Amino acid sequence: MLSCKQTIELGSKNLDTVLAWHQRLEMKLHLMVCHNCRRYIKHLRFLQKVIVSIDKQDSNIHLSEQARERIRKKIFSK
Ligand SMILES: [Zn+2]
Protein backbone atom coordinates (compact mmCIF):
# COMPACT_ATOMS: atom_id res chain seq x y z
CA MET A 1 0.00 0.00 0.00
CA LEU A 2 1.10 3.55 -0.68
CA SER A 3 2.47 5.71 2.10
CA CYS A 4 0.72 8.95 2.99
CA LYS A 5 3.48 10.92 1.25
CA GLN A 6 3.09 8.89 -1.96
CA THR A 7 -0.69 9.28 -1.82
CA ILE A 8 -0.45 13.05 -1.45
CA GLU A 9 2.00 13.22 -4.37
CA LEU A 10 -0.37 11.23 -6.55
CA GLY A 11 -3.31 13.33 -5.37
CA SER A 12 -1.52 16.52 -6.37
CA LYS A 13 -0.52 15.02 -9.70
CA ASN A 14 -4.10 13.89 -10.25
CA LEU A 15 -5.29 17.51 -10.21
CA ASP A 16 -3.32 18.31 -13.35
CA THR A 17 -3.05 15.01 -15.19
CA VAL A 18 -4.84 11.71 -15.60
CA LEU A 19 -3.23 8.98 -13.54
CA ALA A 20 -2.69 5.46 -14.76
CA TRP A 21 -5.39 3.02 -13.61
CA HIS A 22 -3.09 1.27 -11.16
CA GLN A 23 -2.12 4.61 -9.59
CA ARG A 24 -5.79 5.57 -9.18
CA LEU A 25 -6.50 2.18 -7.62
CA GLU A 26 -3.56 2.43 -5.20
CA MET A 27 -4.61 5.94 -4.23
CA LYS A 28 -8.24 4.93 -3.68
CA LEU A 29 -7.19 1.99 -1.52
CA HIS A 30 -5.10 4.26 0.65
CA LEU A 31 -7.86 6.87 0.86
CA MET A 32 -10.31 4.20 2.00
CA VAL A 33 -8.28 3.64 5.15
CA CYS A 34 -6.62 7.00 5.79
CA HIS A 35 -8.81 9.82 7.02
CA ASN A 36 -5.99 12.40 7.01
CA CYS A 37 -5.15 11.87 3.34
CA ARG A 38 -8.85 11.93 2.41
CA ARG A 39 -9.19 15.27 4.12
CA TYR A 40 -5.98 16.61 2.53
CA ILE A 41 -7.04 15.57 -0.98
CA LYS A 42 -10.48 17.06 -0.40
CA HIS A 43 -8.87 20.38 0.54
CA LEU A 44 -6.61 20.29 -2.53
CA ARG A 45 -9.65 19.82 -4.76
CA PHE A 46 -11.47 22.63 -2.99
CA LEU A 47 -8.53 25.01 -3.46
CA GLN A 48 -8.30 24.10 -7.13
CA LYS A 49 -12.01 24.89 -7.58
CA VAL A 50 -11.58 28.23 -5.79
CA ILE A 51 -8.68 29.21 -8.02
CA VAL A 52 -10.59 28.24 -11.16
CA SER A 53 -13.71 30.11 -10.04
CA ILE A 54 -11.70 33.26 -9.21
CA ASP A 55 -10.19 33.16 -12.68
CA LYS A 56 -13.61 32.82 -14.28
CA GLN A 57 -15.59 35.27 -12.13
CA ASP A 58 -13.38 38.29 -11.64
CA SER A 59 -12.15 39.66 -14.90
CA ASN A 60 -10.47 42.56 -13.02
CA ILE A 61 -7.93 40.13 -11.62
CA HIS A 62 -5.60 39.03 -14.35
CA LEU A 63 -2.68 36.82 -13.51
CA SER A 64 -0.06 35.82 -15.99
CA GLU A 65 0.34 32.13 -16.61
CA GLN A 66 3.70 32.29 -14.80
CA ALA A 67 2.04 33.81 -11.72
CA ARG A 68 -0.68 31.13 -11.76
CA GLU A 69 1.93 28.41 -12.00
CA ARG A 70 3.90 29.88 -9.07
CA ILE A 71 0.71 29.97 -6.97
CA ARG A 72 -0.21 26.42 -7.94
CA LYS A 73 3.25 25.18 -6.98
CA LYS A 74 3.11 26.96 -3.61
CA ILE A 75 -0.32 25.60 -2.80
CA PHE A 76 0.03 22.09 -4.11
CA SER A 77 3.65 21.32 -3.34
CA LYS A 78 4.40 19.08 -0.39
ZN1 LIG B 1 -2.55 8.63 4.38
mmCIF file of all heavy atoms in Angstrom, residues 25-46:
data_model
loop_
_atom_site.group_PDB
_atom_site.id
_atom_site.type_symbol
_atom_site.label_atom_id
_atom_site.label_comp_id
_atom_site.label_asym_id
_atom_site.label_seq_id
_atom_site.Cartn_x
_atom_site.Cartn_y
_atom_site.Cartn_z
ATOM 1 N N LEU A 25 -6.075 3.261 -8.521
ATOM 2 C CA LEU A 25 -6.496 2.184 -7.623
ATOM 3 C C LEU A 25 -5.718 2.220 -6.305
ATOM 4 O O LEU A 25 -6.303 2.152 -5.225
ATOM 5 C CB LEU A 25 -6.317 0.830 -8.308
ATOM 6 C CG LEU A 25 -6.669 -0.388 -7.471
ATOM 7 C CD1 LEU A 25 -8.159 -0.375 -7.123
ATOM 8 C CD2 LEU A 25 -6.312 -1.677 -8.206
ATOM 9 N N GLU A 26 -4.384 2.379 -6.417
ATOM 10 C CA GLU A 26 -3.563 2.435 -5.200
ATOM 11 C C GLU A 26 -3.956 3.624 -4.330
ATOM 12 O O GLU A 26 -4.027 3.521 -3.101
ATOM 13 C CB GLU A 26 -2.086 2.538 -5.573
ATOM 14 C CG GLU A 26 -1.516 1.249 -6.129
ATOM 15 C CD GLU A 26 -0.093 1.416 -6.598
ATOM 16 O OE1 GLU A 26 0.258 2.497 -7.117
ATOM 17 O OE2 GLU A 26 0.675 0.465 -6.438
ATOM 18 N N MET A 27 -4.215 4.742 -4.985
ATOM 19 C CA MET A 27 -4.607 5.941 -4.233
ATOM 20 C C MET A 27 -5.958 5.728 -3.549
ATOM 21 O O MET A 27 -6.127 6.055 -2.374
ATOM 22 C CB MET A 27 -4.667 7.152 -5.185
ATOM 23 C CG MET A 27 -4.704 8.473 -4.463
ATOM 24 S SD MET A 27 -4.518 9.874 -5.566
ATOM 25 C CE MET A 27 -6.214 10.107 -6.037
ATOM 26 N N LYS A 28 -6.914 5.159 -4.266
ATOM 27 C CA LYS A 28 -8.238 4.928 -3.678
ATOM 28 C C LYS A 28 -8.163 3.963 -2.505
ATOM 29 O O LYS A 28 -8.846 4.146 -1.492
ATOM 30 C CB LYS A 28 -9.216 4.399 -4.739
ATOM 31 C CG LYS A 28 -9.695 5.484 -5.665
ATOM 32 C CD LYS A 28 -10.740 4.972 -6.617
ATOM 33 C CE LYS A 28 -11.186 6.130 -7.501
ATOM 34 N NZ LYS A 28 -12.324 5.806 -8.320
ATOM 35 N N LEU A 29 -7.340 2.931 -2.628
ATOM 36 C CA LEU A 29 -7.190 1.985 -1.523
ATOM 37 C C LEU A 29 -6.648 2.678 -0.277
ATOM 38 O O LEU A 29 -7.128 2.462 0.831
ATOM 39 C CB LEU A 29 -6.275 0.828 -1.922
ATOM 40 C CG LEU A 29 -6.861 -0.178 -2.901
ATOM 41 C CD1 LEU A 29 -5.784 -1.174 -3.331
ATOM 42 C CD2 LEU A 29 -8.048 -0.900 -2.291
ATOM 43 N N HIS A 30 -5.665 3.536 -0.489
ATOM 44 C CA HIS A 30 -5.104 4.259 0.653
ATOM 45 C C HIS A 30 -6.153 5.199 1.248
ATOM 46 O O HIS A 30 -6.304 5.276 2.468
ATOM 47 C CB HIS A 30 -3.854 5.038 0.239
ATOM 48 C CG HIS A 30 -3.200 5.734 1.394
ATOM 49 N ND1 HIS A 30 -2.208 5.167 2.147
ATOM 50 C CD2 HIS A 30 -3.429 6.952 1.944
ATOM 51 C CE1 HIS A 30 -1.852 5.992 3.107
ATOM 52 N NE2 HIS A 30 -2.575 7.100 3.012
ATOM 53 N N LEU A 31 -6.870 5.903 0.380
ATOM 54 C CA LEU A 31 -7.860 6.873 0.864
ATOM 55 C C LEU A 31 -9.006 6.195 1.607
ATOM 56 O O LEU A 31 -9.630 6.805 2.469
ATOM 57 C CB LEU A 31 -8.401 7.710 -0.296
ATOM 58 C CG LEU A 31 -7.388 8.650 -0.947
ATOM 59 C CD1 LEU A 31 -8.016 9.377 -2.130
ATOM 60 C CD2 LEU A 31 -6.805 9.631 0.048
ATOM 61 N N MET A 32 -9.251 4.923 1.291
ATOM 62 C CA MET A 32 -10.312 4.197 1.999
ATOM 63 C C MET A 32 -9.971 4.000 3.480
ATOM 64 O O MET A 32 -10.856 3.932 4.320
ATOM 65 C CB MET A 32 -10.555 2.823 1.352
ATOM 66 C CG MET A 32 -11.278 2.915 0.037
ATOM 67 S SD MET A 32 -11.371 1.312 -0.798
ATOM 68 C CE MET A 32 -12.418 0.416 0.323
ATOM 69 N N VAL A 33 -8.679 3.927 3.777
ATOM 70 C CA VAL A 33 -8.284 3.638 5.154
ATOM 71 C C VAL A 33 -7.625 4.811 5.874
ATOM 72 O O VAL A 33 -7.361 4.730 7.070
ATOM 73 C CB VAL A 33 -7.330 2.416 5.217
ATOM 74 C CG1 VAL A 33 -8.042 1.166 4.731
ATOM 75 C CG2 VAL A 33 -6.056 2.677 4.438
ATOM 76 N N CYS A 34 -7.357 5.900 5.170
ATOM 77 C CA CYS A 34 -6.616 7.000 5.790
ATOM 78 C C CYS A 34 -7.451 8.288 5.760
ATOM 79 O O CYS A 34 -7.561 8.947 4.729
ATOM 80 C CB CYS A 34 -5.281 7.201 5.090
ATOM 81 S SG CYS A 34 -4.286 8.480 5.885
ATOM 82 N N HIS A 35 -7.960 8.635 6.908
ATOM 83 C CA HIS A 35 -8.807 9.819 7.023
ATOM 84 C C HIS A 35 -8.029 11.103 6.726
ATOM 85 O O HIS A 35 -8.531 12.019 6.069
ATOM 86 C CB HIS A 35 -9.404 9.881 8.427
ATOM 87 C CG HIS A 35 -10.154 11.126 8.698
ATOM 88 N ND1 HIS A 35 -11.376 11.395 8.132
ATOM 89 C CD2 HIS A 35 -9.851 12.212 9.457
ATOM 90 C CE1 HIS A 35 -11.787 12.579 8.539
ATOM 91 N NE2 HIS A 35 -10.888 13.098 9.339
ATOM 92 N N ASN A 36 -6.778 11.178 7.199
ATOM 93 C CA ASN A 36 -5.986 12.402 7.005
ATOM 94 C C ASN A 36 -5.723 12.683 5.533
ATOM 95 O O ASN A 36 -5.836 13.833 5.090
ATOM 96 C CB ASN A 36 -4.661 12.314 7.766
ATOM 97 C CG ASN A 36 -4.874 12.360 9.257
ATOM 98 O OD1 ASN A 36 -5.824 12.972 9.731
ATOM 99 N ND2 ASN A 36 -4.012 11.695 9.997
ATOM 100 N N CYS A 37 -5.397 11.667 4.773
ATOM 101 C CA CYS A 37 -5.153 11.868 3.337
ATOM 102 C C CYS A 37 -6.453 12.209 2.613
ATOM 103 O O CYS A 37 -6.453 13.043 1.707
ATOM 104 C CB CYS A 37 -4.508 10.627 2.712
ATOM 105 S SG CYS A 37 -2.762 10.468 3.139
ATOM 106 N N ARG A 38 -7.547 11.587 3.013
ATOM 107 C CA ARG A 38 -8.850 11.928 2.408
ATOM 108 C C ARG A 38 -9.143 13.411 2.593
ATOM 109 O O ARG A 38 -9.535 14.098 1.668
ATOM 110 C CB ARG A 38 -9.976 11.120 3.055
ATOM 111 C CG ARG A 38 -10.382 9.901 2.300
ATOM 112 C CD ARG A 38 -11.731 9.353 2.707
ATOM 113 N NE ARG A 38 -12.051 9.376 4.109
ATOM 114 C CZ ARG A 38 -11.789 8.396 4.975
ATOM 115 N NH1 ARG A 38 -11.184 7.307 4.567
ATOM 116 N NH2 ARG A 38 -12.128 8.504 6.239
ATOM 117 N N ARG A 39 -8.919 13.866 3.814
ATOM 118 C CA ARG A 39 -9.189 15.273 4.121
ATOM 119 C C ARG A 39 -8.238 16.188 3.339
ATOM 120 O O ARG A 39 -8.654 17.208 2.795
ATOM 121 C CB ARG A 39 -9.030 15.503 5.622
ATOM 122 C CG ARG A 39 -9.538 16.852 6.063
ATOM 123 C CD ARG A 39 -9.604 16.961 7.530
ATOM 124 N NE ARG A 39 -8.315 16.599 8.128
ATOM 125 C CZ ARG A 39 -8.101 16.403 9.399
ATOM 126 N NH1 ARG A 39 -9.062 16.523 10.250
ATOM 127 N NH2 ARG A 39 -6.915 16.093 9.857
ATOM 128 N N TYR A 40 -6.962 15.806 3.248
ATOM 129 C CA TYR A 40 -5.982 16.614 2.529
ATOM 130 C C TYR A 40 -6.345 16.717 1.043
ATOM 131 O O TYR A 40 -6.335 17.799 0.465
ATOM 132 C CB TYR A 40 -4.588 16.008 2.704
ATOM 133 C CG TYR A 40 -3.491 16.871 2.153
ATOM 134 C CD1 TYR A 40 -2.943 17.895 2.923
ATOM 135 C CD2 TYR A 40 -3.007 16.677 0.870
ATOM 136 C CE1 TYR A 40 -1.941 18.692 2.416
ATOM 137 C CE2 TYR A 40 -2.010 17.477 0.357
ATOM 138 C CZ TYR A 40 -1.478 18.479 1.136
ATOM 139 O OH TYR A 40 -0.491 19.277 0.630
ATOM 140 N N ILE A 41 -6.675 15.578 0.440
ATOM 141 C CA ILE A 41 -7.038 15.566 -0.982
ATOM 142 C C ILE A 41 -8.306 16.389 -1.208
ATOM 143 O O ILE A 41 -8.415 17.131 -2.196
ATOM 144 C CB ILE A 41 -7.241 14.118 -1.481
ATOM 145 C CG1 ILE A 41 -5.944 13.312 -1.375
ATOM 146 C CG2 ILE A 41 -7.789 14.092 -2.906
ATOM 147 C CD1 ILE A 41 -4.834 13.740 -2.277
ATOM 148 N N LYS A 42 -9.243 16.276 -0.295
ATOM 149 C CA LYS A 42 -10.480 17.059 -0.399
ATOM 150 C C LYS A 42 -10.161 18.555 -0.384
ATOM 151 O O LYS A 42 -10.719 19.327 -1.183
ATOM 152 C CB LYS A 42 -11.405 16.698 0.766
ATOM 153 C CG LYS A 42 -12.746 17.361 0.721
ATOM 154 C CD LYS A 42 -13.582 16.898 1.910
ATOM 155 C CE LYS A 42 -14.871 17.673 2.003
ATOM 156 N NZ LYS A 42 -15.656 17.287 3.180
ATOM 157 N N HIS A 43 -9.256 18.975 0.483
ATOM 158 C CA HIS A 43 -8.868 20.383 0.543
ATOM 159 C C HIS A 43 -8.145 20.817 -0.719
ATOM 160 O O HIS A 43 -8.353 21.938 -1.192
ATOM 161 C CB HIS A 43 -7.998 20.646 1.756
ATOM 162 C CG HIS A 43 -8.760 20.614 3.040
ATOM 163 N ND1 HIS A 43 -8.181 20.533 4.257
ATOM 164 C CD2 HIS A 43 -10.096 20.632 3.287
ATOM 165 C CE1 HIS A 43 -9.088 20.516 5.207
ATOM 166 N NE2 HIS A 43 -10.263 20.553 4.642
ATOM 167 N N LEU A 44 -7.293 19.954 -1.273
ATOM 168 C CA LEU A 44 -6.614 20.288 -2.530
ATOM 169 C C LEU A 44 -7.632 20.545 -3.639
ATOM 170 O O LEU A 44 -7.525 21.515 -4.388
ATOM 171 C CB LEU A 44 -5.687 19.151 -2.972
ATOM 172 C CG LEU A 44 -4.355 18.990 -2.274
ATOM 173 C CD1 LEU A 44 -3.595 17.822 -2.891
ATOM 174 C CD2 LEU A 44 -3.534 20.255 -2.374
ATOM 175 N N ARG A 45 -8.617 19.663 -3.724
ATOM 176 C CA ARG A 45 -9.647 19.823 -4.761
ATOM 177 C C ARG A 45 -10.445 21.105 -4.550
ATOM 178 O O ARG A 45 -10.784 21.797 -5.513
ATOM 179 C CB ARG A 45 -10.566 18.609 -4.778
ATOM 180 C CG ARG A 45 -9.871 17.383 -5.315
ATOM 181 C CD ARG A 45 -10.791 16.189 -5.308
ATOM 182 N NE ARG A 45 -10.084 15.016 -5.812
ATOM 183 C CZ ARG A 45 -10.300 13.790 -5.395
ATOM 184 N NH1 ARG A 45 -11.221 13.536 -4.486
ATOM 185 N NH2 ARG A 45 -9.613 12.784 -5.889
ATOM 186 N N PHE A 46 -10.746 21.409 -3.298
ATOM 187 C CA PHE A 46 -11.473 22.628 -2.991
ATOM 188 C C PHE A 46 -10.659 23.854 -3.428
ATOM 189 O O PHE A 46 -11.192 24.772 -4.070
ATOM 190 C CB PHE A 46 -11.783 22.703 -1.490
ATOM 191 C CG PHE A 46 -12.377 24.000 -1.069
ATOM 192 C CD1 PHE A 46 -13.696 24.296 -1.361
ATOM 193 C CD2 PHE A 46 -11.610 24.943 -0.395
ATOM 194 C CE1 PHE A 46 -14.249 25.506 -0.987
ATOM 195 C CE2 PHE A 46 -12.146 26.151 -0.017
ATOM 196 C CZ PHE A 46 -13.468 26.438 -0.307
#
